[in-house]
């Protein structure tokens, strides 16, 4: 079986669409989604529609938990709007109630077996869904991420891809929707359960429409557009 591991899509339907086209071409049969399906950007409904064309497992990230909190508390929604932009407002406005309930009720962590390999799904780390485990993490932090019986420990949250160690391999596919080392590339990972090959992928997509939308919707947060331009020649000249 070939699996695509996706994390931190963040409402970026254009990036997700590009990655899924490449996944189809590569023979991917199943998706693993490591949380932060929503947040930052604005196409939550389209993202869910694209994912539901596939068999997939998903867990929730901190932005799904933020949505649950924001829907219960107006002051939380305002705080998140100021810090992260208007994406949660758009999610509330465009998603069906059952979709919101599905997103906010996802587990924080899951153990899955696919194609004969044991996968541990985390958003942050096995010990804390909000922990950032970067590629340059110290040995103690990496050791704490090991899970007995797992072949792969899958983590997201940092927006930086990582492959470290073995038995288990610690894997972060990077961010589909908001890669932070270079814009214009949807980061994801392909796993072949037969050969145990693990390949980090970077799929180009046109960021210009989203850059323009971010600058229009969330002028107080230039970062939302700027990060999509980082080292990204296709974004040159975007307004």
């Amino acid at each position: 079986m070939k699996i695509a591991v996706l994390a931190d899509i963040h409402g970026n339907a254009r990036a997700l669409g590009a990655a899924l086209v490449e996944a189809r071409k590569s023979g991917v049969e199943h998706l693993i989604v490591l949380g932060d399906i929503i947040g930052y950007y604005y196409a939550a409904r389209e993202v869910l529609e694209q994912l539901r064309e596939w068999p997939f497992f998903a867990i929730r990230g901190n932005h799904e938990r933020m949505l649950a909190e924001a829907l219960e508390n107006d002051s939380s929604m305002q705080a998140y709007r100021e810090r992260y932009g208007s994406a949660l407002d758009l999610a509330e406005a465009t998603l069906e109630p059952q979709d919101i309930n599905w997103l906010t009720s996802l587990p924080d962590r899951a153990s899955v077996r696919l194609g004969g390999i044991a996968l541990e799904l985390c958003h942050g780390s096995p010990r804390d869904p909000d922990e950032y485990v970067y590629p340059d993490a110290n040995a103690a932090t990496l050791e704490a991420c090991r899970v007995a019986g797992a072949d792969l420990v899958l983590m997201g949250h940092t927006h930086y891809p990582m492959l470290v160690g073995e038995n288990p391999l610690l894997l972060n596919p990077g961010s589909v929707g908001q890669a932070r080392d270079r814009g214009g590339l949807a980061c994801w990972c392909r796993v072949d359960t037969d050969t145990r090959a693990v390949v980090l992928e970077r799929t180009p997509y046109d960021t210009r429409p989203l850059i323009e939308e971010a600058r229009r919707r969330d002028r107080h947060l230039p970062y939302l557009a700027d990060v999509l331009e980082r080292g990204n020649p296709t974004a040159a000249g975007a307004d």
Side-chain angles (χ1 to χ4, degrees):
M1 176 180 285
K2 292 182 180 178
I3 303 166
V5 183
L6 313 171
D8 300 281
I9 299 166
H10 282 301
N12 187 341
R14 187 178 294 268
L16 177 61
L20 293 180
V21 166
E22 289 303 308
R24 291 266 188 214
K25 291 178 182 177
S26 301
V28 166
E29 305 159 68
H30 206 288
L31 308 180
I32 297 289
V33 185
L34 302 177
D36 281 4
I37 296 168
I38 62 168
Y40 286 127
Y41 304 116
Y42 315 107
R45 183 170 182 170
E46 188 176 348
V47 163
L48 289 186
E49 289 171 353
Q50 291 181 34
L51 291 176
R52 286 171 175 164
E53 294 175 2
W54 295 73
F56 73 100
F57 289 109
I59 60 173
R60 69 179 180 173
N62 52 300
H63 282 259
E64 282 78 44
R65 285 187 278 113
M66 286 179 199
L67 176 62
E69 182 184 348
L71 294 176
E72 295 293 327
N73 188 312
D74 289 342
S75 62
S76 293
M77 180 67 90
Q78 178 60 28
Y80 290 140
R81 186 183 300 124
E82 292 173 0
R83 183 171 180 181
Y84 299 105
S86 58
L88 296 186
D89 295 281
L90 267 290
E92 180 184 15
T94 60
L95 292 176
E96 298 295 331
Q98 62 267 28
D99 293 330
I100 292 174
N101 183 64
W102 178 80
L103 283 168
T104 57
S105 300
L106 287 169
D108 292 321
R109 180 176 167 183
S111 301
V112 172
R113 194 167 189 89
L114 282 176
I117 66 172
L119 309 171
E120 195 69 21
L121 281 54
C122 314
H123 182 64
S125 78
R127 62 184 179 180
D128 183 348
D130 287 327
E131 183 177 12
Y132 292 93
V133 181
Y134 287 101
D136 61 353
N138 62 41
T141 296
L142 296 174
E143 180 63 26
C145 294
R146 296 172 61 85
V147 175
D151 297 303
L152 291 173
V153 177
L154 309 178
M155 300 179 286
H157 198 35
T158 68
H159 296 218
Y160 287 90
M162 178 181 76
L163 287 174
V164 176
E166 56 184 342
N167 299 320
L169 176 67
L170 307 182
L171 164 63
N172 189 321
S175 172
V176 172
Q178 196 194 75
R180 290 181 180 167
D181 53 350
R182 184 179 174 190
L185 298 171
C187 296
W188 57 287
C189 184
R190 184 163 40 88
V191 178
D192 188 320
T193 64
D194 294 330
T195 65
R196 302 296 179 99
V198 177
V199 181
L200 292 171
E201 302 279 6
R202 290 178 181 262
T203 302
Y205 69 99
D206 184 2
T207 61
R208 289 173 293 186
L210 185 53
I211 287 171
E212 292 170 0
E213 185 175 12
R215 288 180 175 162
R216 183 178 72 253
R217 290 188 182 276
D218 291 306
R219 292 182 179 276
H220 70 293
L221 291 174
Y223 170 80
L224 293 178
D226 293 346
V227 70
L228 299 174
E229 295 183 305
R230 187 175 291 171
N232 174 15
T234 67
D239 295 326

